[in-house]
Amino acid sequence: MKKRILVANPWIYDFTAYDLWLKPLGLLFIASHLKNAGFEVELLDCLDRSHPGMPDASNRGPKRLREFGCGGYYKEILPRPDCLRNIPRHFGRFGIPLSEVKKDLSQRKPFDVAFITCGMTYWYPGAVLLKEVIKEIWPSCQVVLGGIYPALCPEHAKKWGFDAVIASCDPVQVLQEVGIILESNLQVRTAEEFFSTSPWYSLYKRLFYGVIITSVGCPFHCSYCASRTLWPSFLRRDSTLVVQEIETLYHTFGVRDFAFYDDALLFQAQEGFLQLLEEIIKLDLPLRFHLPNGVHACFLEPQVARMMYRANFKTLRIALETTSPEIQKITGNKVDNRTFESAVASLRRVGFSPQEIEVYLLFGFPGPSSEDYLSSVEYVRRLGLRPRISLYSPVPGSVDFEKLARIYPEIRDEPLLHNKIAYLYYTGQNELYATLQKLCSQPL
Ligand code: B12
Ligand code: SF4
């Protein structure tokens, strides 16, 4: 008899969390391969806002984002872990209450194997708790951990007593190890084959939005980012398949909002993104598109901007990070101010309003002075655009992490310190951040 498998997305443990088009995409791809191999698969997503056990959130977030399918999570406030005791913010568990998760699982038939994902290194307490809940209900169920946390912190992830930890993002390796656990050949020889199936969205009963990925990897190697460690080479998915995913989600779930998860969505747009947009426009459906990750200014050419406007992109974020030319160069050379201005001009020319163009500035990373931050914010505002300050957090597998670990060696041993809010207070940069936020919120 084929094994019964649970795929599970655990709670978020954090100071803040918001459903900004957040779905466990890698896990849904794996689920799809398991289904194709004939396994009986069920999903538990502790962050599913449409789950019957999910109470209303106290903070539902801005109306504009709610209209695009986003929303707040229910939060249960918890005592702060010891290493975060001096951070003056409420810490908690976001998602379906623990008692409701236990109730849900106890009503299901036993599983032979549970695959738990973990999307951020510092969210690991959720994965550990979920393993314990599963073991309490079905002691003989094998519980396997995968995702970004074990890929970036393998040693830390191995100490919690999971039956297996798969510490890689490489899809071929991941499915090989999964196959060994399930005593089954999952028949994936290349990363292209892994991505030639679609994430198994029908595991959800209801969807407020869809997340899509057209490529993995990035041609740049910024000092604050782990993209290259996780995905050493660039791979593009077939755009026809991506369009089919969009169409299916629209017809089966009535999904109208789609967010892209790519690291480098616009890279070599002629060979991928532009074809995709052409096919999307041909669909002639009432869809909206969102870019929660900032896109590269250097690839935002006039034709790309024009097609994005026609396809109905609603959330546009360009990654500028800083306006200091020296820091732009030493952190990875992905943008300079002239390139940024010409990307903005392309967007404005085709009809995007200044309110629709958000600009990511990175705060708290090694390098900039307070003057650099202030002048970056002022520069963006002078262009009539709204800066959006993204808080830096040290990411293992990045160049900056190694530098910082010499000053704060504890970040090697405790992923909770990778949390952006923890890091902000830990390094005493919270006051400067508050000043910048105030400046950003002043009328333009
Ligand atoms: C999409 C994305 C987001 C989305 C969704 C996040 C999510 N976790 O799903 C959004 C926009 C919300 C987001 C936000 C942020 N993000 Co982000 N994000 C990404 C991104 C670009 C892609 C993730 C992804 O879905 N990849 C595609 C899928 C297919 O891959 P995958 O899920 O990893 O799955 C593969 C494997 O992991 C494995 N797998 C997955 N699950 C499981 C389970 C089992 C059992 C097994 C066996 C295997 C397995 O199988 C898949 C195939 O190999 C990554 C960068 C990257 N290249 O990974 C950064 C990344 C995860 N983000 C990062 C950061 C820093 C952030 C922010 C803090 C940025 C900020 N300053 O605000 C915020 C955090 C928000 C918060 N509340 O704290 C860091 C990680 C930080 C960390 N300490 O873990 C990354 C790595 C980028 C970086 N800077 O280096 N992010
Ligand atoms: S920050 Fe962006 S451009 Fe830089 S390496 Fe990461 S994904 Fe690529």
Side-chain angles (χ1 to χ4, degrees):
M1 214 175 64
K2 278 283 186 188
K3 290 186 166 131
R4 262 179 63 72
I5 295 173
L6 178 71
V7 292
N9 187 29
W11 302 270
I12 290 176
Y13 276 65
D14 209 321
F15 297 97
T16 58
Y18 187 68
D19 184 4
L20 188 76
W21 303 293
L22 190 60
K23 283 279 175 280
L25 195 55
L27 190 71
L28 297 177
F29 272 107
I30 293 173
S32 199
H33 285 284
L34 297 176
K35 176 185 68 165
N36 295 345
F39 289 99
E40 207 182 311
V41 186
E42 288 183 21
L43 168 76
L44 166 74
D45 186 346
C46 297
L47 302 177
D48 179 1
R49 290 190 291 119
S50 70
H51 187 282
M54 180 79 102
D56 286 341
S58 54
N59 175 8
R60 294 170 63 222
K63 185 164 170 275
R64 181 177 180 274
L65 285 176
R66 275 187 274 135
E67 282 170 0
F68 298 152
C70 300
Y73 292 122
Y74 173 76
K75 177 182 188 182
E76 202 174 326
I77 294 179
L78 301 174
R80 279 191 295 270
D82 227 28
C83 65
L84 305 179
R85 66 184 175 282
N86 294 329
I87 313 295
R89 302 280 287 268
H90 288 303
F91 190 73
R93 180 170 55 230
F94 292 83
I96 306 168
L98 177 56
S99 56
E100 289 293 331
V101 166
K102 286 186 178 172
K103 192 166 115 196
D104 172 331
L105 289 180
S106 327
Q107 288 165 355
R108 304 197 198 196
K109 283 196 278 174
F111 293 99
D112 301 295
V113 186
F115 289 103
I116 301 183
T117 189
C118 189
M120 296 281 155
T121 58
Y122 48 89
W123 291 348
Y124 74 84
V128 175
L129 176 64
L130 193 55
K131 177 207 47 142
E132 277 156 22
V133 170
I134 291 170
K135 286 284 187 189
E136 195 182 298
I137 305 175
W138 306 291
S140 62
C141 175
Q142 245 185 309
V143 185
V144 181
L145 175 70
I148 285 167
Y149 160 53
L152 293 180
C153 303
E155 293 317 313
H156 192 269
K158 282 177 191 156
K159 68 182 196 191
W160 303 106
F162 284 90
D163 295 296
V165 172
I166 300 182
S168 170
C169 269
D170 173 4
V172 177
Q173 192 184 334
V174 166
L175 280 199
Q176 241 166 28
E177 293 189 35
V178 168
I180 293 170
I181 292 165
L182 298 175
E183 296 163 344
S184 165
N185 181 357
L186 295 171
Q187 313 272 352
V188 167
R189 283 155 308 188
T190 60
E192 282 79 0
E193 276 183 45
F194 179 90
F195 285 110
S196 65
T197 190
S198 296
W200 192 10
Y201 269 116
S202 297
L203 284 169
Y204 288 93
K205 293 206 171 62
R206 192 169 167 210
L207 284 174
F208 300 118
Y209 55 81
V211 301
I212 40 183
I213 193 157
T214 74
S215 65
V216 289
C218 175
F220 292 96
H221 193 184
C222 300
S223 57
Y224 39 77
C225 178
S227 172
R228 192 60 77 89
T229 307
L230 294 168
W231 299 96
S233 38
F234 184 79
L235 178 159
R236 191 190 307 289
R237 298 183 70 217
D238 175 11
S239 59
T240 313
L241 179 62
V242 178
V243 175
Q244 269 169 21
E245 287 166 12
I246 294 172
E247 219 180 341
T248 310
L249 285 175
Y250 174 77
H251 289 298
T252 49
F253 287 95
V255 168
R256 289 175 170 224
D257 290 282
F258 291 88
F260 287 92
Y261 267 17
D262 298 52
D263 269 331
L265 181 66
L266 312 185
F267 178 51
Q268 294 173 340
Q270 294 288 353
E271 286 151 49
F273 189 56
L274 284 175
Q275 290 169 18
L276 175 78
L277 292 184
E278 238 166 69
E279 292 182 51
I280 287 176
I281 293 165
K282 265 196 234 144
L283 287 178
D284 196 22
L285 293 173
L287 309 177
R288 294 178 289 232
F289 295 92
H290 310 280
L291 302 172
N293 291 318
V295 289
H296 293 95
C298 59
F299 303 138
L300 230 173
E301 287 162 1
Q303 200 192 353
V304 175
R306 199 172 318 117
M307 294 292 277
M308 282 167 78
Y309 188 76
R310 287 183 57 205
N312 204 23
F313 274 67
K314 287 293 175 199
T315 311
L316 274 175
R317 294 178 179 174
I318 310 179
L320 175 61
E321 323 295 12
T322 175
T323 52
S324 151
E326 295 75 39
I327 298 168
Q328 285 168 344
K329 270 200 199 91
I330 54 171
T331 52
N333 228 352
K334 72 173 172 187
V335 65
D336 59 49
N337 300 345
R338 227 184 52 184
T339 313
F340 170 75
E341 283 172 32
S342 93
V344 172
S346 300
L347 291 171
R348 295 283 291 113
R349 220 173 291 128
V350 297
F352 285 107
S353 68
Q355 295 76 19
E356 286 175 306
I357 307 169
E358 293 174 283
V359 182
Y360 268 135
L361 294 175
L362 188 58
F363 177 80
F365 63 117
S369 63
S370 40
E371 289 71 35
D372 289 327
Y373 289 126
L374 283 165
S375 64
S376 296
V377 168
E378 275 158 8
Y379 167 88
V380 175
R381 286 171 56 82
R382 265 200 313 278
L383 292 177
L385 303 172
R386 198 160 280 292
R388 212 187 157 83
I389 301 183
S390 156
L391 283 176
Y392 169 77
S393 65
V395 187
S398 65
V399 172
D400 286 348
F401 184 88
E402 292 307 317
K403 271 195 219 154
L404 288 168
R406 277 178 235 132
I407 311 167
Y408 308 107
E410 56 280 28
I411 62 174
R412 278 197 201 284
D413 305 322
E414 184 43 88
L416 289 174
L417 298 173
H418 307 165
N419 180 303
K420 56 187 197 259
I421 291 173
Y423 186 77
L424 174 73
Y425 283 94
Y426 202 73
T427 51
Q429 303 185 84
N430 44 304
E431 278 175 23
L432 177 56
Y433 174 62
T435 309
L436 290 172
Q437 284 292 49
K438 221 179 261 164
L439 188 58
C440 289
S441 61
Q442 277 168 18
L444 286 168

